[in-house]
Amino acid sequence: MTVETPTLADPHDWLERKGRWSAFEIAFWVASLLPFFLFQTYLPLASQIAVTALFAVSVDLVLGYAGIITLGHAMFFGLGAYAAGLISKAGWGEPLTGLIFAAAFAGLVGYVASFIIVRVQHLALIMITLGLGFLTYELANSMSWLTGGTDGLQGVETWPILGVFRFDLWGYTAYGYALAALFLGLVLSRRIVHSSFGLSLRGIRENVRRMPAVGSDYRGHLQKIYTISAAVAGCAGALLTQTTDTVSLDTLSFQRSADVVVMLILGGTGRLYGAVIGAIIFMVARDQLADMNPQYWYFWIGLLLMVVVLVMPKGILGGLARLAGERD
């Protein structure tokens, strides 16, 4: 598959070609079904990978495509997790409506925050997102009467999906549910980035100062994608709550925000599937390395990150694309 640069003559044809499903994508989704048959013992890990991959995709929408550098996106992940947990604790454990509620709540907070985000750039942007993340974490910690504080939110109970599929101990339902959500999230994200709106986001990422010259409301575009990204991140957080029946402050931590950026660097930003590949590599490496050396496993993650950045600056997917002769 050759990545072509759109020309003024055929932008719609280019977008249509980009929107077609490639053989790689089809093969990837077929392979994603293998844990059901070959790796049943790893289904709980697979469901966590799917949740994390959806979160990584949400960050890629703003970082990889719009150029919004964020170190506090776990704020929306955690808000979605707590929203789903609180509505379940209140007596409504239906997962699909809980998922929608969590996405809407996180999206609403993202929309409000976007008015601040679009007014700053570079180092100030990093500091603002970092500060919002810390504020949300400490707020949740201080509101222990609502969130459970450091003990986590207790009493979360998720009902069977559609009243039929119960969350079993082995993780079959959890993985199927998380995988379906990841697939839908990827479909939505593909539709966004392979549209004229997605092209506008690329233009903003490359040179935001020139966008007004072509009549682009760059601030409006940034607010839209930030709100969408927040909603997707909230959906990922709700998935974590519903598949584990627990919520902790870790969902809001800086560590989670930093980890997802590492995943994007590993897989490659601005590619969607780079976020998924990065999440798979990071989560599998963490699982295996933590078993080998629980105390110093981050050393090996750091070493892996350095090697990838030095050898493949655009991530693993970007490096493979370069070897295949594709152009960015």
Side-chain angles (χ1 to χ4, degrees), residues 89 138-153:
K89 186 177 180 180
E138 291 303 329
L139 183 63
N141 189 26
S142 63
M143 298 176 64
S144 57
W145 57 271
L146 179 66
T147 65
T150 54
D151 294 329
L153 186 64

Side-chain angles (χ1 to χ4, degrees), residues 67-71 120-131:
I68 299 175
I69 304 174
T70 174
L71 285 177
V120 293
Q121 294 179 355
H122 309 307
L123 183 60
L125 178 59
I126 297 175
M127 293 298 100
I128 287 292
T129 58
L130 193 60

Side-chain angles (χ1 to χ4, degrees), residues 83-101:
L86 288 170
I87 195 176
S88 174
K89 186 177 180 180
W92 184 257
E94 204 286 315
L96 298 180
T97 52
L99 204 65
I100 295 172
F101 173 76

Side-chain angles (χ1 to χ4, degrees), residues 262 265-266 281-282 285 289 296-311:
V262 171
I265 295 173
L266 288 174
I281 293 172
F282 183 91
L289 293 173
Y296 301 110
W297 65 271
Y298 253 117
F299 169 83
W300 301 106
I301 293 291
L303 185 62
L304 174 63
L305 182 63
M306 290 176 59
V307 171
V308 170
V309 170
L310 291 173
V311 178

Side-chain angles (χ1 to χ4, degrees), residues 59-120:
V59 178
D60 197 29
L61 286 175
V62 291
L63 194 156
Y65 287 93
I68 299 175
I69 304 174
T70 174
L71 285 177
H73 224 63
M75 172 175 71
F76 305 114
F77 183 90
L79 287 174
Y82 275 104
L86 288 170
I87 195 176
S88 174
K89 186 177 180 180
W92 184 257
E94 204 286 315
L96 298 180
T97 52
L99 204 65
I100 295 172
F101 173 76
F105 179 68
L108 177 61
V109 176
Y111 174 71
V112 174
S114 69
F115 285 92
I116 303 174
I117 297 298
V118 300
R119 297 182 183 278
V120 293

